[in-house]
Amino acid sequence: MSELTTHNSIQGIRSAIGAARVKGKRIGLVPTMGSLHDGHLDLVRAARANNDVVVVSIFVNPLQFGPGEDFDAYPRSLAEDQQKLGDAGVDLLFAPGVEAMYPDGQEHQAEVRLPSLTQILCGEGRPGHFDGVGTVVLKLFNICTPDNAYFGEKDYQQLLLIRTLAHQFDFPTRVHGVPTRRADDGLALSSRNQYLTDEQRAKAPLLQQTLQDIAHGINAGAKQYDRLVQTGKLALRAAGFDVEYLEVRDAATLGEAGATGDLRIMVAANIGRARLIDNIGVER
Ligand code: PAF
C-alpha cells in the first residue's frame, strides 16, 4: 500500500485489513485519540519498522472521560492528522464516529474491568477511565486484528492494562511500549500540553525533573522512598502544581515497591487547565 486511505465504518476498515491479511501481510495498529504530535509519530515509526500494513485509529473515546472532564474540549484536528499520517507512510486510518463504535449507546455498552490495575494511581482520580480505555482498545483489536499494537510509555498504567487484557482475553496481538518523546526541556509530549499558558509551560518540565531527582536518590542508595517523594511533592506544590499522586511503585505490577525488581516513578499533577502525567523507570 502507499497512500493513506481513511475509513469511518467498521465494515470499511475490516474489509481493507481483510484484503491485506489474505495476502499474508502483517498488520500493525497504533490506537490514538488524534491531535497527533511527534510522540504519536514515534509509535507510527515503530509500527512501520515491523509491519507490512500500518493502521492508525483516531477516536476520541467518550467512554474514558468522566463527567466534567475535557471530552468536548479535547483537541481535534483530523485534516492535519491525515496529512501527518500520509507523510509518515501510514496505510490505513480508521476514524469512526461515536455511533459507529457504540451503536447500542454508550450507557448500554459492555465494559471490561480489571480493578487491581485500574483503581489505583490515575484510576483513583479518574474512576471508570481505564474501563473505558480497555473497552475501546479491545474493540479496536477485534476490529483491526493487529499482529502488533503500539502504545506510549508515557501512559505507563494504560500500557500495563492493555498488555494484561490482551493476555487475559487471549488476543494474539503483541503489545509494544514505545519510550516517551520529550521536548528539549524534558516535558513529555502530550496533546493536553496545548492547555498550558506560557507561564505554566515554563514550569511544566519540573514534573520530569522531580522524577529524575527521585531516581537519582534511589540510584544513590536511598531506601526511604517516602522522604524523596515528600521532597518532590513540596517542590511541585511550591511551583503551583496540584499534585494528584507522586509514587514509587513496582514496575511490573504498579503495586507497592518491594526490596527487589525494577521500579517505576509515577506522577500526575494539575496546573491550570492541564492534567499532566509522567513516569520514569529505575532498574535494579
Ligand atoms: O492513549 C490514548 O490516546 C487512548 O487512551 C487510547 C489508547 C487511544 C484509547 O482511547
Side-chain angles (χ1 to χ4, degrees), residues 8 55 149 152 154 166 211 233 257:
N8 305 116
V55 184
K154 184 178 83 67
L211 298 178
K233 281 184 179 169

Side-chain angles (χ1 to χ4, degrees), residues 61-73 106 111 124-129 192 275:
N61 172 33
L63 225 54
Q64 69 187 73
F65 289 79
E69 289 190 355
D70 58 344
F71 174 71
D72 290 330
Q106 283 170 63
E111 290 190 44
E124 258 188 67
R126 304 186 70 190
H129 165 68
R192 288 192 169 97
R275 180 181 182 280

Side-chain angles (χ1 to χ4, degrees), residues 31-33 59 61 64 133 136-137 151 155 158 162:
T32 80
M33 298 206 299
F59 178 59
N61 172 33
Q64 69 187 73
V133 170
V136 81
V137 170
F151 298 86
D155 297 291
Q158 167 174 283
I162 292 163

